[in-house]
Amino acid sequence: MNLYLPLKILITILLFCLSFFANAQNETPKDSIANQELKEVVISQNKKTFTNTNGNIKVDVANSVYNAIPNTVDLLSRLPTIQVSSDKESITVVGKGNPLIYIDNQKVGINDLNALVPADIKTIEIIQNPSSKYEAEGRSVILITRKFSKKDSFKTDISEVASFKKNFNNYLGFNSSFKKNKLEWKVNFNYNRLNPWENHSIDYQIAGADIASKYDVTATTKRKQYIYGGSLFYKINEDDYFSVSTAFRLRDDTFPINTFTYNKNPDGENNVLTWSDNSSKKNYGNIFMNYSKKIKAIDTKLFAGFQYSNFQQDLKTLVENNYNETEFNLAQSRNQKFNVDYFSGRIDLEKKFKNEINLEYGALYSAAKSKSDTDIFDFENDENSNLNYDFKEQNLAGYTQLSGKIKKISFSAGLRVENTNVDGKYRTDSSPLIDKNYTNVFPKMQLSMAIDSTKNISFNYAKSISRPQYSTLSNIATYINPYFLYSGNINLGPTFTNEISSTFQYNDKSVKLSYYQNKNPVYNSFLFDKETNIMTFKDINFEKESGLNLDFEMPFTYKFWTTSNSLIFILEKIEDPSAAFLASKPYLYYYSNNEFKLPKEYSFVVSFWGLTKQTSGIFERNVRFVTDLALYKTFFKKWNCTLNFNNVFKNVIQTEEFIINNVSSTARYVVDAHEFSISVKYSFGK
């Protein structure tokens, strides 16, 4: 698609509209009463987009260029240390693995982020050393705080984002809020028409089996997405409140996949063209209820939260193969369904004593239940197979934490106990395939000492757990070609982590040294079936992992220039008996965000991040470097316009090499991240 013509048209229309409204604003009659009124006095302050406290980075989304990004997952991918996978199904923090994600006081998942609109976000904080109050699942926390009004108000935002990648993408949004006395409500609706493009290839060989294969696959998706929701916040009094919110995301995808495969095995060589017609529905909904009360008799703050969510996926696939340039023949018909229901309830209590001692304690219960149904008809062998798998998980946790300050020393010590009960079973089996019941204790300690008014040093220890996502604990598989499948893994187990760290802070700059050990980390693996000659690519638990990180956070402000910089030196070693071990070498992650406040309320942002070559014992990954540009302008206090130019230098290729189970592979992923977008938002109300 030629982007220049529609781009030129959009810019022309935008400039015309802005010019029209500017003229309308300036056309005031000379004898207007407005000329006799006092001019409004506006007191403004320049808020920093990024702030750093002991290595914890807080981002002011509401008052920055980031509020113009059309979806929350893309917003997170622009922040320091956060990495989003190419399929946008998982999030990691550099040097910390998968984080816990919280919206206000409730733990959420990737689907909740996709159902949250950035216009509803106030701040995002990346917490590197979370306390025992948070679940033990994760070494870091991404805390998202939503916006609430302090005064009676009514405001509505209407936004439009035109995004040009390989294909055109459109985001239309409506967000409204109203506050009167103690009551505030919000509603939002977004309609997105997206056309993502992706390409990847894998070249693999099996030593000693005379098997070699290479495939190249391209998919272009046509996606309709509806996101809508609402919330109600009631301020009972100065200390107490009640809130309820709900969000839904309905998504329809059609994505034909075209694959070229070369395969060599003892039976011969084949060149195969595979065409698969795929249609998918992914629907998600959640509801949150929060209640906060201050019990004055015992001077204790009480918080109670409940949430329920449901995720449904229905994937239908029809596959045809063409061997050696003959003709296309039907290969498989696949109908796969996945459903998961999740419920959790928590209660937290906090009591502050007069001598700056703070006691926190509470409990949490969560339960998840999923069903995975797969129906496959093989046209080549005239066979039908069915797999029906049910999974249940229950978690019960309790914690206590004591924190305070004695002269120049601040301390925090907490203990969290979690019991997990897991049951997994095929419906045709008489006994469960997975039956686990385990209890773990997770201590956390922090000690901080102020050297003077500008410097302090802190020490931390934490034990944590990382459980696999429910969506990966299914037998749903994606057909790539007659020799290759992507699959979930119902046998995945949790990862346990022990970590110690020390942080030195000078004003708003910090340096942190940390060491960690992981037991049963989760990474990709190849599993080859000799009987069917099919390779399956899935996540498995590796034996162990260890790492050493040196993290520098260096914000800086000079006149109209504000910059936030992260520099992390990483040395990590991943080990497993099934994989070939390579020497580990240190690599570097760097991030820089630079905002320039220009005259006439213009803001210009230049940000870039990169990774040097990664060699981590088993995996080797290539050098990465990505640069983003943004120009932000406010017109007449009602119109906001943002121009984004992302991945300017088209650094879109990711490569990964490793050897496991006698399979040596080189994978190449091409990410459609080179983008030019125009965002226009109109706000009315007060």
Side-chain angles (χ1 to χ4, degrees):
M1 176 182 178
N2 187 346
L3 301 182
Y4 296 102
L5 181 58
L7 181 59
K8 184 177 179 181
I9 293 172
L10 277 172
I11 293 175
T12 303
I13 294 173
L14 177 63
L15 292 176
F16 172 78
C17 292
L18 294 175
S19 174
F20 175 80
F21 280 102
N23 291 332
Q25 290 277 36
N26 293 329
E27 291 178 0
T28 304
K30 293 182 179 180
D31 57 348
S32 171
I33 298 176
N35 290 330
Q36 303 174 26
E37 295 179 348
L38 290 174
K39 293 183 179 180
E40 179 183 10
V41 178
V42 178
I43 301 175
S44 62
Q45 62 178 3
N46 292 324
K47 294 184 178 181
K48 291 183 178 180
T49 301
F50 295 88
T51 54
N52 170 45
T53 305
N54 287 330
N56 299 325
I57 301 169
K58 191 172 185 177
V59 185
D60 182 1
V61 176
N63 299 292
S64 71
V65 69
Y66 292 106
N67 65 16
I69 297 174
N71 66 80
T72 301
V73 174
D74 281 348
L75 191 163
L76 289 173
S77 70
R78 314 280 178 84
L79 303 184
T81 72
I82 296 179
Q83 299 279 287
V84 177
S85 64
S86 57
D87 61 2
K88 297 188 178 181
E89 293 295 332
S90 65
I91 294 173
T92 58
V93 173
V94 175
K96 288 285 189 177
N98 299 109
L100 277 171
I101 303 171
Y102 271 71
I103 297 177
D104 294 330
N105 289 312
Q106 298 276 33
K107 176 192 168 187
V108 301
I110 191 75
N111 289 304
D112 299 278
L113 294 180
N114 286 318
L116 177 68
V117 291
D120 204 23
I121 298 175
K122 180 182 179 182
T123 61
I124 297 177
E125 187 172 3
I126 306 167
I127 303 173
Q128 298 289 355
N129 300 297
S131 69
S132 295
K133 178 179 179 179
Y134 299 100
E135 277 91 329
E137 188 177 349
R139 296 160 53 202
S140 60
V141 169
I142 296 176
L143 176 61
I144 299 173
T145 303
R146 293 181 301 165
K147 293 188 291 187
F148 292 99
S149 301
K150 294 183 178 180
K151 298 181 179 180
D152 290 353
S153 62
F154 170 73
K155 185 179 181 182
T156 297
D157 296 331
I158 301 174
S159 62
E160 162 66 21
V161 179
S163 168
F164 300 87
K165 295 185 178 181
K166 281 186 176 293
N167 302 306
F168 177 72
N169 300 273
N170 188 78
Y171 304 82
L172 178 64
F174 171 88
N175 195 76
S176 183
S177 64
F178 172 81
K179 185 178 187 302
K180 182 67 174 178
N181 298 326
K182 297 181 178 181
L183 183 66
E184 179 178 2
W185 58 258
K186 296 182 179 184
V187 293
N188 68 276
F189 176 79
N190 291 70
Y191 173 62
N192 305 327
R193 288 299 299 264
L194 311 178
N195 299 284
W197 175 94
E198 59 183 317
N199 172 268
H200 72 268
S201 62
I202 292 182
D203 185 355
Y204 65 87
Q205 299 83 35
I206 302 178
D210 194 26
I211 293 177
S213 187
K214 180 179 181 179
Y215 77 81
D216 188 279
V217 57
T218 301
T220 300
T221 302
K222 293 183 178 180
R223 177 176 301 159
K224 292 187 296 183
Q225 185 170 267
Y226 301 87
I227 299 173
Y228 57 94
S231 64
L232 182 70
F233 182 88
Y234 182 71
K235 189 78 171 177
I236 302 171
N237 53 48
E238 190 64 28
D239 300 310
D240 307 339
Y241 71 85
F242 171 78
S243 68
V244 58
S245 64
T246 184
F248 298 90
R249 186 192 66 164
L250 309 180
R251 173 176 141 181
D252 288 346
D253 292 352
T254 57
F255 52 104
I257 299 177
N258 298 292
T259 308
F260 172 77
T261 305
Y262 165 78
N263 182 269
K264 175 187 174 184
N265 58 60
D267 296 330
E269 297 184 26
N270 288 298
N271 292 303
V272 185
L273 290 175
T274 301
W275 180 85
S276 63
D277 185 17
N278 303 274
S279 63
S280 171
K281 291 182 181 294
K282 290 184 177 181
N283 298 331
Y284 178 79
N286 66 33
I287 181 169
F288 295 87
M289 298 178 65
N290 295 333
Y291 174 66
S292 179
K293 179 177 179 57
K294 185 173 183 179
I295 307 173
K296 296 181 180 180
I298 56 175
D299 193 22
T300 298
K301 185 178 179 180
L302 165 72
F303 173 83
F306 304 90
Q307 70 176 102
Y308 168 78
S309 64
N310 173 262
F311 174 74
Q312 299 176 6
Q313 179 181 2
D314 188 353
L315 174 61
K316 296 180 179 179
T317 304
L318 185 64
V319 183
E320 296 181 70
N321 290 319
N322 183 330
Y323 290 84
N324 303 313
E325 299 183 357
T326 53
E327 63 179 3
F328 280 97
N329 293 301
L330 288 171
Q332 286 190 0
S333 173
R334 307 171 69 90
N335 188 2
Q336 302 176 90
K337 295 182 178 181
F338 178 69
N339 182 90
V340 60
D341 293 286
Y342 175 81
F343 168 81
S344 76
R346 67 179 303 141
I347 183 168
D348 300 298
L349 297 108
E350 179 180 0
K351 180 175 176 59
K352 293 184 177 181
F353 297 91
K354 294 181 179 180
N355 55 355
E356 295 192 59
I357 301 297
N358 193 38
L359 176 64
E360 297 174 89
Y361 52 100
L364 175 137
Y365 171 79
S366 65
K369 181 180 180 181
S370 69
K371 294 181 180 293
S372 177
D373 301 318
T374 301
D375 185 3
I376 302 174
F377 183 77
D378 190 327
F379 290 96
E380 296 174 349
N381 299 314
D382 194 25
E383 292 179 352
N384 192 78
S385 59
N386 293 280
L387 292 172
N388 306 106
Y389 181 74
D390 295 337
F391 175 84
K392 297 179 182 178
E393 180 177 293
Q394 292 181 326
N395 293 287
L396 182 63
Y399 77 92
T400 182
Q401 176 162 297
L402 187 68
S403 59
K405 186 175 182 181
I406 302 175
K407 294 184 178 180
K408 293 185 176 181
I409 298 178
S410 299
F411 67 91
S412 173
L415 190 67
R416 189 177 186 92
V417 180
E418 295 190 356
N419 172 261
T420 304
N421 190 353
V422 180
D423 181 274
K425 177 181 176 295
Y426 285 105
R427 289 174 210 159
T428 55
D429 293 346
S430 58
S431 58
L433 181 67
I434 300 174
D435 187 6
K436 299 179 181 178
N437 192 328
Y438 53 90
T439 301
N440 299 103
V441 178
F442 301 96
K444 293 190 176 183
M445 292 175 285
Q446 181 174 353
L447 188 68
S448 180
M449 181 175 63
I451 300 173
D452 55 33
S453 61
T454 61
K455 297 184 285 292
N456 70 72
I457 187 169
S458 63
F459 302 91
N460 297 274
Y461 166 76
K463 181 180 179 181
S464 59
I465 185 174
S466 178
R467 299 182 180 91
Q469 297 181 4
Y470 299 121
S471 58
T472 63
L473 298 171
S474 72
N475 51 26
I476 286 184
T478 302
Y479 184 100
I480 301 298
N481 59 48
Y483 314 101
F484 200 94
L485 294 174
Y486 278 89
S487 176
N489 183 0
I490 60 178
N491 295 306
L492 278 179
T495 300
F496 293 92
T497 302
N498 283 282
E499 181 176 18
I500 56 173
S501 63
S502 179
T503 304
F504 174 74
Q505 174 116 8
Y506 175 65
N507 288 329
D508 57 353
K509 300 169 181 60
S510 65
V511 57
K512 178 180 179 180
L513 179 66
S514 60
Y515 174 77
Y516 69 90
Q517 289 183 334
N518 286 342
K519 181 182 178 182
N520 300 327
V522 175
Y523 288 101
N524 300 326
S525 178
F526 289 101
L527 299 173
F528 181 70
D529 189 328
K530 294 181 180 179
E531 295 183 1
T532 61
N533 194 31
I534 292 178
M535 182 74 77
T536 302
F537 189 73
K538 64 169 63 176
D539 288 341
I540 67 167
N541 288 105
F542 281 48
E543 184 180 40
K544 59 182 178 180
E545 176 185 6
S546 59
L548 186 68
N549 300 331
L550 184 60
D551 182 349
F552 295 88
E553 300 296 332
M554 298 169 290
F556 177 75
T557 299
Y558 178 73
K559 294 184 178 179
F560 60 89
W561 173 36
T562 300
T563 179
S564 179
N565 304 283
S566 299
L567 195 65
I568 307 177
F569 294 90
I570 305 167
L571 177 63
E572 58 187 8
K573 182 168 67 173
I574 307 168
E575 300 177 76
D576 192 83
S578 64
F581 182 76
L582 306 170
S584 296
K585 298 179 181 178
Y587 64 92
L588 174 66
Y589 166 85
Y590 50 93
Y591 171 94
S592 181
N593 179 280
N594 303 270
E595 183 174 2
F596 301 89
K597 294 290 186 181
L598 305 178
K600 298 184 178 181
E601 296 190 59
Y602 279 94
S603 293
F604 181 60
V605 179
V606 181
S607 64
F608 59 86
W609 68 268
L611 285 161
T612 60
K613 184 177 180 180
Q614 305 165 62
T615 305
S616 55
I618 293 177
F619 301 96
E620 284 191 350
R621 300 183 178 98
N622 65 319
V623 175
R624 302 289 314 282
F625 178 75
V626 175
T627 301
D628 299 327
L629 305 176
L631 180 64
Y632 179 81
K633 167 67 175 173
T634 300
F635 299 90
F636 323 128
K637 299 181 182 179
K638 293 184 179 293
W639 288 88
N640 290 327
C641 177
T642 304
L643 305 181
N644 283 287
F645 192 12
N646 300 320
N647 205 336
V648 176
F649 301 110
K650 295 185 178 182
N651 191 337
V652 295
I653 299 176
Q654 304 176 30
T655 62
E656 182 179 75
E657 299 181 24
F658 64 101
I659 301 173
I660 192 167
N661 293 324
N662 295 320
V663 179
S664 59
S665 74
T666 300
R668 177 179 178 270
Y669 303 88
V670 182
V671 181
D672 186 17
H674 182 66
E675 174 190 32
F676 180 83
S677 68
I678 302 175
S679 171
V680 180
K681 182 171 69 174
Y682 176 70
S683 303
F684 62 89
K686 182 179 180 181

